[in-house]
């Protein structure tokens, strides 16, 4: 019998045009939408024809809207109306896509014409996958650039791996150079905590081999090749079949291993494997960036500690020189920092205030001993020399860049609110805030400490003096807060 489709005699000429345009499959349907007959001139579509036969139309149309339009056409057929849609089916072991049109030819008969669009659909799917993968890589780039926490970054990266690569589970092991071990860092898609305690030597297990050989390892059937995970009794509960391990390499160093697990066989194409290598490269960059940032933070902390130790050393040098004021620097520093905290100064500013307080009298290293240790009042000439120590402090410290924000206290702690202080005779708010804070702590501690030329004042007398000097020596708005601090701390 000749393999051709005979049109009814009264079929409209437009139907003939449609059949010429959609000639891969032609089917007839009854008014219920059941496919009664399917014909094709393409031998490769014979199995597809068999699959379609006797199916109802709603069984092959995936789109709800297209299905609704088709049902509407079946319910109210009109020779002027038709509906188009796409459908897919498995034939010859492959998913095949068709672009179809449904046309009424009689009140109880319909014709479906379809053209195969599998290669175009595959190209569209590949294009969408590429867009998704590019978008994912862009997101990872932005996350790396933002300095996102490494744990969050790895979790996000594994989300992208499992979603875009359509695999069941993935994990990242990080190489710890000190112990020479690969350790579990992050995982996604596991039923158990099978890998969370992983500690592998380089060369041990699949991931150890990946790190040692610095190349991808693929195990298509874990049951056949041996799991390599015998150390974990829970691994069999995961039912994994396929394994991929990819080294994470940046700047020539192995930083870890990306592991992929799937519970069935994988048949990846070249693009899938390329993306796996690309995302492994991104993971390596993320780990390297996070490590560099961590090392930088560590270096900054160590450097800051070294700075602080140096400053403390300078302060101890002054204390050793003048044993009569030993402990003064520590006390006024603590009191100034507490006052600044009470007034809401942020942590970064507190650091500079603390450093400035420690170094407030550093300029006295250049003042002669006979003036520093004179048991009685200074002469006008000696006072002139003594008043130079704030400027000497600036000369000593200004070449040190990191101390620039801390110079306000050494420079201006002897200025007074009414403008009668030194060295610049600043007044009111023109005196830096930190210097105004420090002046209160400095004077209070000096009054309540023994000096060569007088005995220490009582706390009561010192407080009364501070009150009287509000608006003269001291900022009148800060004095009440300072006195509150003194009372609260029993100082």
């Amino acid at each position: 019998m000749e393999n051709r489709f005979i049109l009814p005699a009264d079929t409209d000429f437009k139907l003939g045009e449609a059949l010429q345009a959609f000639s891969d499959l032609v089917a007839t349907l009854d008014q219920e939408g059941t496919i009664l007959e399917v014909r094709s001139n393409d031998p490769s579509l014979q199995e597809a024809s068999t699959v379609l036969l006797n199916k109802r139309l709603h069984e092959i149309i995936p789109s709800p809207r297209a299905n609704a339009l088709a049902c509407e056409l079946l319910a109210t057929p009109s020779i002027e109306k038709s509906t188009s849609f796409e459908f897919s089916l498995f034939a010859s072991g492959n998913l095949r896509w068709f672009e179809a049109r449904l046309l009424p030819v009689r009140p109880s008969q319909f014709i479906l014409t379809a053209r195969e669009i599998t290669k175009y659909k595959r190209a569209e799917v590949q294009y969408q996958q590429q867009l998704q993968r590019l978008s994912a890589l862009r997101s990872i780039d932005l996350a790396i650039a933002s300095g996102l926490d490494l744990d969050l970054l790895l979790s996000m990266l594994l989300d992208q791996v499992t979603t875009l690569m359509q695999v069941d589970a993935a994990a990242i092991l990080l190489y710890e150079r000190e112990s020479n071990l690969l350790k579990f860092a992050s995982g996604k898609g596991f039923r158990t905590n099978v890998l969370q305690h992983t500690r592998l030597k380089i060369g041990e297990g699949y991931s150890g081999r990946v790190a040692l050989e610095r190349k991808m390892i693929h195990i298509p059937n874990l049951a056949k090749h041996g799991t390599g995970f015998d150390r974990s009794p829970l691994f069999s509960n995961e039912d994994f079949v396929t394994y991929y391990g990819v080294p994470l390499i940046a700047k020539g160093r192995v930083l870890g291993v990306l592991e992929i697990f799937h519970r069935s066989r994988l048949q990846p194409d070249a693009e899938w494997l390329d993306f796996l290598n690309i995302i492994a490269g991104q993971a390596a960059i993320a780990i390297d960036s996070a490590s560099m940032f961590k090392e930088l933070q560590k270096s900054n902390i160590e450097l800051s500690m070294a700075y602080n130790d140096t400053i403390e050393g300078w302060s101890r040098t002054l204390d050793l020189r003048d044993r009569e004021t030993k402990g003064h620097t520590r006390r006024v520093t603590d009191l100034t920092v507490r006052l600044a905290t009470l007034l809401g100064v942020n942590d970064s500013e507190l650091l500079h205030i603390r450093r400035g307080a420690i170094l407030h009298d550093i300029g006295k290293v250049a003042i002669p001993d006979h003036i520093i240790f004179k048991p009685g009042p200074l002469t006008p000439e000696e006072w002139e020399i003594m008043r130079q120590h704030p400027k000497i402090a600036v000369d000593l410290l200004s070449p040190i860049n990191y101390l620039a924000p801390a110079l306000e206290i050494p420079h201006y702690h002897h200025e007074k609110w009414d403008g009668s202080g030194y060295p610049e005779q600043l007044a009111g708010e023109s005196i830096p805030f930190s210097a105004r804070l420090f002046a209160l702590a400095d004077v209070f501690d000096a009054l309540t400490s023994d000096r060569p030329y007088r005995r220490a004042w009582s706390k009561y007398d010192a407080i009364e003096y501070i009150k009287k000097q509000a608006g003269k020596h001291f900022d009148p708005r800060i004095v009440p807060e300072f006195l509150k601090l003194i009372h609260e701390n029993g100082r």
Side-chain angles (χ1 to χ4, degrees), residues 10-18 20:
D10 60 350
T11 301
D12 189 89
F13 176 72
K14 290 183 178 179
L15 180 59
E17 289 184 329
Q20 290 176 2

Side-chain angles (χ1 to χ4, degrees), residues 148-165:
L148 193 66
D149 175 77
L150 181 60
D151 290 338
L152 293 175
L153 193 56
L154 294 183
S155 177
M156 184 194 86
L157 190 142
L158 291 179
D159 282 338
Q160 301 285 8
V161 168
T162 53
T163 301
L164 296 179
M165 307 198 72

Side-chain angles (χ1 to χ4, degrees), residues 66-203:
N67 203 328
L69 290 173
C71 291
E72 181 183 344
L73 184 61
L74 291 171
T76 57
S78 170
I79 198 71
E80 301 297 326
K81 294 173 65 177
S82 67
T83 185
S84 298
F85 54 87
E86 292 180 359
F87 70 91
S88 63
L89 53 86
F90 276 97
S92 303
N94 295 308
L95 182 66
R96 307 182 78 160
W97 281 89
F98 297 88
E99 186 179 68
R101 178 176 294 175
L102 181 67
L103 307 97
V105 292
R106 292 177 181 173
S108 60
Q109 188 178 29
F110 298 81
I111 288 181
L112 182 146
T113 61
R115 180 180 58 165
E116 186 173 11
I117 57 170
T118 301
K119 66 178 181 180
Y120 304 110
K121 201 69 178 178
R122 285 175 180 167
E124 179 184 333
V125 170
Q126 287 177 343
Y127 177 69
Q128 291 298 327
Q129 285 179 339
Q130 288 173 347
L131 283 180
Q132 289 176 338
R133 288 170 179 175
L134 286 173
S135 177
L137 293 175
R138 175 62 176 161
S139 298
I140 294 169
D141 281 341
L142 291 174
I144 294 172
S146 69
L148 193 66
D149 175 77
L150 181 60
D151 290 338
L152 293 175
L153 193 56
L154 294 183
S155 177
M156 184 194 86
L157 190 142
L158 291 179
D159 282 338
Q160 301 285 8
V161 168
T162 53
T163 301
L164 296 179
M165 307 198 72
Q166 298 181 341
V167 294
D168 291 320
I172 288 179
L173 308 181
L174 294 182
Y175 175 57
E176 188 179 87
R177 196 167 298 277
E178 293 79 8
S179 62
N180 198 35
L181 293 174
L182 287 168
K183 294 184 178 180
F184 176 87
S186 188
K188 174 80 174 179
F190 295 92
R191 296 169 181 167
T192 67
N193 62 350
V194 59
L195 296 183
Q196 291 183 15
H197 303 292
T198 298
R199 295 168 63 88
L200 290 173
K201 295 177 182 178
I202 298 299

Side-chain angles (χ1 to χ4, degrees), residues 18 20 48 58 113 134 185 209 222 226 264 278 307 337 344 350 355 363 368:
Q20 290 176 2
H58 69 81
T113 61
L134 286 173
R209 279 179 51 200
L222 287 168
S264 60
I278 290 171
Y307 287 161
V337 169
L350 281 176
R355 287 175 175 174

Side-chain angles (χ1 to χ4, degrees), residues 33-49:
T34 303
I35 299 174
L36 303 176
E37 185 179 11
V38 186
R39 297 290 183 87
S40 174
N41 290 322
D42 186 345
S44 69
L45 295 176
Q46 291 305 314
E47 186 178 338
S49 301

